[in-house]
Amino acid sequence: MNPYEVFLTQLDGAAQVLNLSKHVTRVLREPERVIEVSIPVRMDDGTVQVFKGWRSEHNTALGPAKGGIRYHWDVTRDEVVALSAWMSMKNALLDLPYGGGKGGVRVNPKELSDGELERLSRGFVDRVYKYIGPDQDIPAPDVYTNPKIMAWMMDEYEKLVGKKAPGVITGKPLILGGSKGRGYATAIGGFFVLREALKMNSTSFEGKTAAIQGFGNAGSFMGKFLYENSTKVIAVSDSKGGIYNPNGLPILEVIDHKRRTGSVVNFPNAENITNEELLTMDVDILAPAALEGVVTGKNADQVRAKYIVELANGPVTPEADEILYKKGVFILPDILANAGGVTVSYFEWVQNRMGYYWEESEVVEKLDKKMSKAFKEIYDVMEEYGVNSRKASYIVALRRIVEALKARGVA
Ligand code: NAD
């Protein structure tokens, strides 16, 4: 199943429980708009390379499209469309005034110099600037994009439209209107909903064990929060492989090791393991924080974690979902678990529009409230309909989108 087929399966499952009409699901099965672009970039050696990119706006019934831009060598149109559909659901679940959007450029950013990366990022905006804007479509960082890239993109957009527009993009550096707390928002959001799930089972982080796949922005901050809250993080990984120590890894030192060497691999006093081994470790908490489709029908049976906090988008396939649900694994689904990023992006956009900036503690407190409220809504729906957490999260999201579509007379 490709990622878009996964989304359709999830949509159909929730639509059936809600008894939604075919008119409504027909609208949500297709993205409203997908822009495909080719970006010519002058490379440092004088040659020109052309990179393919997409921006997908899935549904904007609730407000402007919102979602990150990913730079990855494997990005496809289907993947970008699926990710934009998940953003529609995520934004609705968190009750944000946004529809769903996502962008992607097929490139290996590690092979580009800073200058090439800047020309590529500005080139992407040159191609899509008519379709984005603070009231239209608001990009943000995702895999292998960061505040520096957001700054170039915002700057290019402002030059093209001839005015300041900090609300066109979120995840910016603080000096250009970024929000305090945005850097670790995704991880702390996941941490908050995991805390709520543990609470429901009358337990806490104390003495738990965890494994994290993907040690980038989301994964490394999650490691830090777990580590600081008495959970033993025994395994972490990145694209080069993983490391394991049954007594727990000193996460701050691992972060430093990755910063110095480019990978977590070969960390002293730890055993090197594969990414596949990490997924089936005997831990309480598994946090997939890399790419989609890593827990599948093939390995779900061997997963031993009791809680899965999906920091990545779509890390568990529908087939695996069924198997894990039967095993009694509590999944904090992606559209909830990693929604901290877009929620603080929303706070950033609000601050940009007001021109008034909040303290970090205010941002974190507001985020905690939003995440905990969404968790509670999902939990209530799980009880009401007897469905798993993923289906419940789609039900909460769909109710809002459908209400907006009906109010607009679309369906
Ligand atoms: P990032 O680029 O900072 O980190 C990605 C990490 O994954 C890196 O450590 C990389 O080495 C690792 N990785 C890449 N391919 C891998 C593979 N095949 N196996 C194992 N590890 C691999 O990205 P990020 O921002 O941390 O995003 C990670 C995931 O979280 C993505 O799925 C993204 O869509 C999702 N997410 C991120 C945010 C955010 O605000 N950062 C918000 C929502 C969702």
Side-chain angles (χ1 to χ4, degrees):
M1 250 193 225
N2 75 36
Y4 199 64
E5 288 166 337
V6 173
F7 164 71
L8 292 179
T9 310
Q10 291 162 342
L11 173 70
D12 289 343
Q16 204 179 6
V17 178
L18 282 175
N19 208 9
L20 291 185
S21 80
K22 285 220 162 57
H23 307 293
V24 175
T25 45
R26 207 170 284 151
V27 173
L28 295 173
R29 292 179 81 80
E30 298 293 336
E32 285 177 10
R33 172 155 68 191
V34 185
I35 304 147
E36 178 169 315
V37 297
S38 301
I39 313 151
V41 176
R42 174 78 60 190
M43 308 304 280
D44 292 347
D45 64 4
T47 61
V48 172
Q49 272 191 39
V50 179
F51 298 91
K52 206 112 215 126
W54 296 269
R55 181 76 189 168
S56 169
E57 294 161 1
H58 171 257
N59 187 275
T60 58
L62 286 167
K66 178 97 191 82
I69 297 176
R70 169 176 295 201
Y71 284 181
H72 197 274
W73 47 96
D74 276 339
V75 168
T76 62
R77 181 189 183 280
D78 262 1
E79 181 185 351
V80 173
V81 173
L83 289 163
S84 71
W86 280 318
M87 286 309 298
S88 295
M89 298 298 146
K90 191 185 301 183
N91 295 337
L93 172 64
L94 270 290
D95 205 7
L96 308 179
Y98 289 143
K102 201 81 178 191
V105 177
R106 193 182 296 158
V107 60
N108 185 350
K110 295 177 192 177
E111 289 173 355
L112 266 55
S113 70
D114 240 31
E116 289 165 344
L117 204 56
E118 178 175 351
R119 294 193 286 281
L120 172 70
S121 305
R122 290 184 184 274
F124 182 75
V125 173
D126 291 346
R127 291 285 190 250
V128 302
Y129 82 96
K130 286 188 181 144
Y131 307 98
I132 63 172
D135 294 309
Q136 227 176 327
D137 181 354
I138 309 141
D142 191 66
V143 177
Y144 295 140
T145 54
N146 53 36
K148 186 155 100 176
I149 292 174
M150 297 305 110
W152 291 328
M153 288 186 167
M154 182 197 76
D155 186 65
E156 187 68 16
Y157 178 83
E158 290 184 341
K159 279 183 188 153
L160 289 164
V161 299
K163 60 182 175 193
K164 297 296 169 202
V168 66
I169 206 154
T170 58
K172 302 178 291 289
L174 277 181
I175 193 72
L176 295 180
S179 177
K180 289 184 176 148
R182 178 62 181 87
Y184 55 82
T186 302
I188 205 164
F191 176 81
F192 288 147
V193 291
L194 181 57
R195 178 198 65 204
E196 294 303 299
L198 291 167
K199 239 194 254 172
M200 285 297 171
N201 289 329
S202 310
T203 181
S204 71
F205 289 109
E206 186 79 37
K208 298 281 183 298
T209 53
I212 302 172
Q213 184 188 51
F215 207 63
N217 174 289
S220 64
F221 275 115
M222 180 54 121
K224 183 170 172 284
F225 296 131
L226 291 173
Y227 176 71
E228 288 168 351
N229 282 272
S230 313
T231 290
K232 249 197 245 174
V233 181
I234 64 168
V236 300
S237 70
D238 58 31
S239 59
K240 299 203 175 90
I243 52 171
Y244 164 68
N245 183 333
N247 300 318
L249 295 160
I251 290 299
L252 301 182
E253 286 169 39
V254 178
I255 292 174
D256 191 50
H257 175 81
K258 179 157 169 98
R259 196 169 23 232
R260 278 187 288 107
T261 67
S263 172
V264 296
V265 172
N266 295 330
F267 182 74
N269 297 326
E271 188 187 318
N272 284 338
I273 54 166
T274 64
N275 262 294
E276 290 69 37
E277 284 167 333
L278 180 139
L279 295 168
T280 56
M281 300 226 112
D282 189 7
V283 285
D284 299 301
I285 299 158
L286 174 66
L291 297 176
E292 54 266 13
V294 290
V295 182
T296 65
K298 284 198 186 118
N299 61 1
D301 220 16
Q302 296 143 45
V303 168
R304 287 183 279 175
K306 298 174 196 70
Y307 298 87
I308 297 183
V309 52
E310 295 184 341
L311 293 178
N313 287 306
V316 174
T317 66
E319 212 183 345
D321 232 7
E322 291 295 320
I323 298 168
L324 295 168
Y325 183 49
K326 285 195 190 121
K327 279 175 63 150
V329 179
F330 194 106
I331 297 183
L332 290 143
D334 48 6
I335 64 169
L336 171 71
N338 67 34
V342 71
T343 304
V344 174
S345 270
Y346 163 58
F347 295 160
E348 178 175 335
W349 178 78
V350 169
Q351 293 170 78
N352 292 152
R353 292 168 84 93
M354 289 192 300
Y356 177 70
Y357 291 85
W358 309 339
E359 290 305 323
E360 188 168 346
S361 56
E362 197 175 343
V363 173
V364 175
E365 193 185 315
K366 283 188 164 74
L367 175 64
D368 194 352
K369 268 195 197 138
K370 273 233 167 258
M371 299 299 301
S372 304
K373 181 168 170 267
F375 177 87
K376 169 94 175 48
E377 283 180 299
I378 291 173
Y379 203 80
D380 289 348
V381 166
M382 285 170 75
E383 306 241 292
E384 183 183 344
Y385 292 98
V387 293
N388 68 24
S389 55
R390 190 178 317 278
K391 206 169 264 183
S393 63
Y394 274 72
I395 289 172
V396 175
L398 273 178
R399 276 177 177 162
R400 290 203 177 99
I401 297 175
V402 171
E403 194 183 335
L405 283 171
K406 285 195 173 146
R408 286 175 185 276
V410 177

